């Protein structure tokens, strides 16, 4: 379990509490605005709740939830579909079901549905087949990055908490409570006697002595996570918010964290500075420097953060002052915790997170800073650095291929231990692909400005987006090492989506043509187009409501209940067989039967009317005297619903 010293560096120690063993990996659902399908979704669900069900209804309701990113509901509906109607379930239904299962963490079931998708897609030209055969989920990608390092002995651990290694010339700095160890016994309150200090040790010396405290920086409060300049004369470090040698609490009684800067003069640390972007109302902590020393990276929950703590950077100007802090963006930061940044000599950002998919607790991730804020890939560094416990404060020298990190895994000496490692194989990085195009109206071909084009990964997580300009144009970039869905949406239109398999990264042009989602107001046309109704058919020479017609009529009833001002005319037709006068009478009886059924279900009579047209409006060429099959004639025996103004 992560002890109190380490929790200081995960931000929760700043609140004086200790977090129990870290949460298991959570599959965060992506939240989107309600664009298309919302009205139909409500109506279909209401019909289903009343006990009316068929494969078509379940498919449409499942798709409505899927495209609104309501994956838990989609998973339930698709599950009912594949269980009750396996012969009517298509390959795409199985694929969306598998995606929904992944989003709620049901991996074994998702694998089974994916196998069914692969089986049914054998004859299809679908690149997803090869992709999911090779990489069924993110756990496999983590395993692909595993085994690249060898863990080595770090002989300076204690029975207490040791973590936050940092390079300091030929030495190593780290944080520890080894003098007392009492923090492990005081999990829920502060105690002025029990605080972390900074230590230094020469790890390369064969006869290195015990670690010693770093003179001139430690106080009677917490010090941790350091970053030194290349010349060793400037040190950035984390400390409790201290004013006039006393802890300062915010309005909620919380002791926040701050980054301080110290300068060395004649071998002595002096001129201790409280950095200007610190605050009494939020925490700023865990500094690291860019290789050229021009940027300071840190973690904070300052305003503008996306989660519990975000990664930020600030430019260090030539005169030693600072620019404005900038958030590293949604590619890196999640609604959870991103913390403990480290920037290597090759400009790779390593950090700890429990928001990105990992093995449990905090995991170490890496991304190439050249591609911020939206480009590049965030990769889990894999085992044995990451484990099911908390893994954090990772550093690496790419020249020597040696590094350190901390973990609270159970095989350690103390509460938190430092682990040394040797990198055997570097982590592979980006394949960046540019995707551009235009979003247009399907009917008018007019460009759609303000449409959103999203990048959705294979776990249904949004990893990037762009907005079309006044000419309907967009440009986005994505990681072509993995498959992605590119989804175009605009309010009032049905989303359109295409899948891009892993590729060589060549620029891709992708245009989208969106179909308008019709709204009730002013529609004045066939309601079937709005609710995707199946045609309501009648048996030959009969006007009773068939069971299959009940489900479709229930959709109309649900729509009328949802929209009290909606008025409907039921229009019925016959085939061409029989006398014209009889067919006109029969069609009117069918219209009346349809209206009577809806009235019996609670719809006010004044909102309904019925009209029979006999054989006037045939759906095909089966006129009098034309030989047709029974199936062809059946197409003409139908009812339709028209919205009345």
């Amino acid at each position: 379990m992560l002890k109190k010293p380490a929790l200081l560096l995960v931000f929760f120690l700043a609140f004086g509490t200790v977090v129990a063993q870290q949460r298991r990996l959570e599959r965060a659902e992506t939240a989107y605005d309600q664009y298309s399908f919302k009205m139909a979704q409500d109506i279909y669900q209401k019909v289903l709740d009343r006990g009316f069900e068929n494969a078509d209804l379940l498919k449409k309701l499942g798709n409505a939830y899927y495209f609104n990113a309501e994956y838990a509901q989609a998973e339930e509906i698709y599950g009912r579909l594949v269980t009750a109607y396996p012969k009517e379930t298509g390959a795409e239904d199985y694929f969306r079901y598998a995606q929904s299962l992944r989003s709620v963490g049901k991996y074994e079931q998702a694998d089974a549905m994916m196998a069914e998708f692969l089986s049914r897609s054998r004859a299809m030209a679908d690149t997803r087949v090869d992709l999911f055969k090779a990489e069924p989920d993110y756990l496999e990608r983590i395993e692909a990055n595993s085994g690249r390092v060898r863990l080595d002995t770090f002989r300076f651990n204690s029975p207490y908490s040791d973590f936050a290694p940092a390079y300091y010339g030929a030495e190593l700095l780290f944080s520890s409570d080894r003098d007392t160890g009492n923090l492990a016994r005081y999990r829920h309150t502060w105690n002025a006697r029990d605080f972390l200090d900074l230590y230094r040790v020469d790890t390369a010396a064969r006869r290195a002595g015990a670690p010693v405290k770093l003179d001139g920086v430690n106080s009677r409060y917490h010090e941790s996570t350091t970053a030194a300049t290349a010349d060793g004369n400037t040190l950035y470090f984390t400390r409790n918010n201290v004013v006039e040698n006393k802890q300062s609490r915010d309005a909620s009684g919380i002791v926040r964290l701050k980054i301080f800067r110290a300068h060395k003069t004649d071998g002595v640390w002096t001129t201790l500075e409280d950095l200007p972007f610190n605050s009494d109302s939020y925490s700023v902590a865990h500094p690291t420097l860019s290789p050229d020393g021009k940027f300071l990276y840190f973690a904070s929950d300052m305003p503008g953060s996306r989660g519990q703590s975000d990664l930020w950077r600030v430019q260090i100007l030539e005169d030693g002052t600072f620019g404005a802090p900038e958030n590293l963006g949604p590619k890196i930061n999640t609604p959870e915790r991103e913390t403990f940044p480290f920037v290597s000599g090759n400009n790779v950002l390593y950090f700890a997170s429990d928001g990105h998919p990992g093995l449990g607790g905090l995991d170490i991730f890496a991304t190439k800073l050249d591609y911020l804020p939206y480009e590049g890939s965030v990769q889990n560094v894999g085992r044995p650095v990451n484990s099911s416990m908390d893994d954090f404060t990772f550093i690496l020298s790419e020249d020597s291929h040696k590094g350190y990190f901390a973990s609270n895994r159970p095989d350690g000496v103390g509460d938190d231990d430092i682990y040394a490692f040797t990198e055997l194989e570097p982590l592979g990085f980006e394949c960046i692909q540019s995707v551009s195009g235009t979003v247009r109206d399907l009917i008018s071909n007019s460009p759609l400005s303000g449409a959103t084009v999203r990048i959705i990964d294979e776990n249904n997580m949004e990893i990037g987006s762009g907005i079309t300009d006044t000419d309907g144009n967009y440009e986005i970039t994505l990681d072509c090492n993995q498959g992605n869905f590119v989804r175009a949406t605009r309010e009032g239109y049905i989303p359109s989506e295409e899948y891009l398999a892993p590729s060589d990264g060549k620029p891709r042009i992708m245009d989208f043509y969106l179909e308008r989602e019709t709204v009730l107001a002013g529609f004045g046309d066939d309601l079937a187009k709005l609710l995707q109704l199946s045609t309501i058919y009648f048996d030959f020479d009969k006007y009773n409501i068939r069971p299959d017609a009940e489900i479709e009529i229930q959709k109309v009833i649900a729509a009328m209940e949802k929209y009290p001002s909606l008025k409907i005319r039921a229009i019925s037709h016959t085939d061409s067989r029989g006398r014209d006068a009889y067919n006109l009478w029969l069609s009117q009886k069918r219209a009346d039967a349809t209206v009577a059924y809806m009235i019996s279900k609670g719809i006010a009579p004044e909102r309904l009317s019925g009209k029979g047209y006999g054989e006037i409006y045939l759906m095909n060429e089966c006129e009098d005297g034309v030989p047709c099959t029974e199936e062809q004639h059946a197409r003409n025996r139908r009812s339709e619903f028209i919205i009345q103004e």
Side-chain angles (χ1 to χ4, degrees):
M1 184 174 292
L2 193 63
K3 298 302 187 287
K4 196 166 185 177
L7 283 175
L8 169 71
L9 311 183
V10 194
F11 276 92
F12 282 23
L13 187 63
F15 295 84
T17 61
V18 175
V19 178
Q21 181 173 325
Q22 299 301 320
R23 300 185 301 273
R24 291 182 178 179
L25 175 68
E26 298 177 353
R27 311 295 299 179
E29 295 187 16
T30 309
Y32 297 102
D33 293 334
Q34 301 297 335
Y35 290 108
S36 300
F37 304 124
K38 184 58 180 174
M39 185 202 73
Q41 172 184 307
D42 294 342
I43 292 173
Y44 291 163
Q45 186 64 60
K46 194 168 187 178
V47 172
L48 188 63
D49 292 342
R50 289 176 173 176
F52 296 90
E53 174 187 299
N54 62 13
D56 180 68
L57 179 74
L58 292 173
K59 285 184 181 185
K60 291 172 181 174
L61 180 56
N63 290 341
Y65 281 128
Y66 179 85
F67 281 112
N68 276 317
E70 298 176 31
Y71 299 116
Q73 295 91 329
E75 177 254 319
E76 177 189 353
I77 298 302
Y78 287 135
R80 293 175 67 168
L81 172 66
V82 302
T83 300
Y85 307 96
K87 293 183 179 180
E88 299 175 61
T89 304
E92 196 68 25
D93 301 318
Y94 279 103
F95 174 78
R96 290 177 181 168
Y97 184 27
Q99 290 291 85
S100 300
L101 285 165
R102 291 179 193 280
S103 296
V104 296
K106 298 180 180 179
Y107 303 116
E108 291 185 6
Q109 289 178 254
D111 289 344
M113 293 303 104
M114 211 53 176
E116 187 65 29
F117 164 73
L118 297 177
S119 174
R120 292 172 180 250
S121 302
R122 239 171 244 167
M124 299 169 57
D126 195 327
T127 54
R128 291 176 295 180
V129 174
D130 293 333
L131 173 68
F132 283 100
K133 282 181 179 178
E135 293 185 338
D137 57 40
Y138 77 94
L139 290 173
E140 292 192 9
R141 291 193 289 273
I142 292 177
E143 292 304 317
N145 286 340
S146 296
R148 298 178 306 98
V149 308
R150 181 189 69 236
L151 296 186
D152 301 323
T153 300
F154 185 77
R155 63 185 189 275
F156 304 104
N157 284 316
S158 72
Y160 306 110
S161 288
D162 304 292
F163 53 91
Y167 295 116
Y168 181 56
E171 295 182 312
L172 190 74
L173 298 181
F174 65 94
S175 185
S176 178
D177 67 334
R178 60 182 56 208
D179 269 7
T180 64
N182 288 337
L183 279 172
R185 298 200 303 269
Y186 294 95
R187 290 184 169 278
H188 300 288
T189 59
W190 284 107
N191 186 309
R193 296 169 298 171
D194 305 316
F195 284 91
L196 297 161
D197 280 326
L198 297 176
Y199 289 77
R200 62 184 179 87
V201 65
D202 186 350
T203 58
R206 290 186 176 181
R207 296 184 178 180
V212 297
K213 287 187 177 182
L214 184 65
D215 292 335
V217 175
N218 289 314
S219 70
R220 54 195 294 261
Y221 302 107
H222 283 295
E223 282 82 27
S224 61
T225 52
T226 58
T229 55
D231 61 11
N233 291 325
T234 302
L235 183 72
Y236 297 87
F237 64 95
T238 303
R239 176 185 282 177
N240 289 131
N241 185 10
V242 177
V243 177
E244 296 180 354
N245 206 33
K246 293 183 179 180
Q247 287 184 338
S248 177
R249 300 177 183 270
D250 66 10
S252 301
I254 298 169
V255 179
R256 299 290 181 174
L257 305 177
K258 289 186 175 182
I259 295 176
F260 290 82
R261 179 168 62 179
H263 298 281
K264 183 183 286 185
T265 303
D266 297 328
V268 178
W269 291 110
T270 59
T271 324
L272 190 65
E273 300 176 71
D274 181 340
L275 299 189
F277 47 89
N278 287 328
S279 173
D280 294 337
S281 60
Y282 53 79
S283 290
V284 177
H286 320 323
T288 191
L289 291 166
S290 61
D292 59 10
K294 294 182 179 180
F295 283 90
L296 179 71
Y297 291 81
F298 59 93
S300 179
D301 58 349
M302 65 173 57
S305 296
R306 291 171 168 79
Q308 298 179 37
S309 64
D310 278 15
L311 298 186
W312 297 72
R313 73 175 182 181
V314 63
Q315 186 176 8
I316 304 173
L317 305 178
E318 291 186 3
D319 61 358
T321 59
F322 298 90
E326 56 180 325
N327 191 287
L328 296 192
K331 184 73 175 183
I332 291 174
N333 293 316
T334 73
E336 302 302 319
R337 293 177 299 167
E338 280 67 51
T339 186
F340 305 123
F342 171 76
V343 183
S344 72
N346 288 343
N347 218 32
V348 175
L349 172 67
Y350 295 90
F351 62 97
S353 171
D354 59 2
H356 292 272
L359 298 174
L362 291 169
D363 270 24
I364 305 298
F365 295 85
T367 190
K368 191 79 169 178
L369 285 175
D370 294 343
Y371 298 100
L372 291 177
Y374 300 109
E375 303 175 12
S377 61
V378 173
Q379 300 194 48
N380 187 299
V381 303
R383 307 175 194 273
V385 171
N386 287 326
S387 69
S388 62
M389 302 298 287
D390 290 302
D391 310 294
F392 51 100
T393 57
F394 178 100
I395 63 173
L396 171 66
S397 169
E398 286 152 337
D399 293 334
S400 66
H401 298 286
K402 293 185 179 295
Y404 303 89
F405 68 96
S407 179
N408 66 344
R409 58 191 65 179
D411 60 359
V413 174
D415 298 333
D416 302 297
D417 289 284
I418 295 173
Y419 290 78
F421 68 88
T422 299
E423 184 183 57
L424 306 177
E425 179 185 350
L427 187 66
F429 279 102
E430 287 74 26
C431 170
I432 302 302
Q433 184 174 30
S434 173
V435 179
S436 61
T438 305
V439 180
R440 295 180 177 274
D441 185 288
L442 177 65
I443 304 302
S444 69
N445 202 40
S446 301
L448 296 177
S449 62
T452 301
V453 180
R454 293 183 169 88
I455 305 169
I456 311 295
D457 71 11
E458 294 156 359
N459 296 313
N460 287 324
M461 300 285 290
E462 180 179 340
I463 57 176
S465 65
I467 304 295
T468 57
D469 60 19
T470 54
D471 296 319
N473 298 320
Y474 74 92
E475 183 173 2
I476 54 176
T477 56
L478 50 80
D479 175 15
C480 42
N481 280 323
Q482 65 181 30
N484 295 281
F485 298 91
V486 181
R487 182 183 299 170
T489 62
R490 191 176 189 271
E491 188 170 5
Y493 288 82
I494 298 173
S496 179
E497 179 181 272
E498 284 195 40
Y499 177 74
L500 287 181
S503 71
D504 58 4
K506 292 181 180 178
R508 175 77 178 267
I509 296 177
M510 186 179 293
D511 295 328
F512 291 93
Y513 295 86
L514 302 187
E515 181 179 356
R516 184 177 292 276
E517 179 185 342
T518 310
V519 296
L520 285 171
F523 184 68
D525 203 348
D526 188 355
L527 188 63
K529 297 177 183 177
L530 181 62
L531 297 183
Q532 303 179 49
L533 296 177
S534 298
T535 303
I536 295 174
Y537 292 112
F538 293 85
D539 293 327
F540 177 70
D541 204 29
K542 295 181 184 297
Y543 53 84
N544 59 293
I545 303 298
R546 297 186 343 192
D548 60 336
E550 274 194 288
I551 290 181
E552 304 308 309
I553 298 175
Q554 280 290 332
K555 294 178 185 178
V556 180
I557 292 172
M560 298 188 76
E561 290 173 344
K562 184 176 180 65
Y563 299 93
S565 62
L566 183 63
K567 295 182 179 180
I568 295 294
R569 169 174 286 189
I571 297 177
S572 295
H573 309 270
T574 69
D575 61 33
S576 63
R577 293 176 292 182
R579 292 179 291 110
D580 291 354
Y582 176 80
N583 285 338
L584 194 62
W585 173 86
L586 180 60
S587 65
Q588 186 62 49
K589 295 294 287 184
R590 288 173 176 171
D592 293 341
T594 302
V595 170
Y597 176 89
M598 298 174 71
I599 292 173
S600 73
K601 300 301 180 181
I603 302 300
E606 59 268 24
R607 298 177 61 194
L608 298 166
S609 62
K611 176 69 174 176
Y613 285 94
E615 60 182 89
I616 297 175
Y617 299 107
L618 299 176
M619 298 289 290
N620 49 35
E621 303 298 321
C622 296
E623 299 177 354
D624 290 338
V626 177
C628 289
T629 66
E630 178 57 32
E631 183 178 359
Q632 289 173 315
H633 281 302
R635 290 191 61 206
N636 294 313
R637 302 192 299 267
R638 68 199 189 278
S639 278
E640 298 167 332
F641 298 91
I642 301 299
I643 299 175
Q644 300 296 290
E645 296 289 338

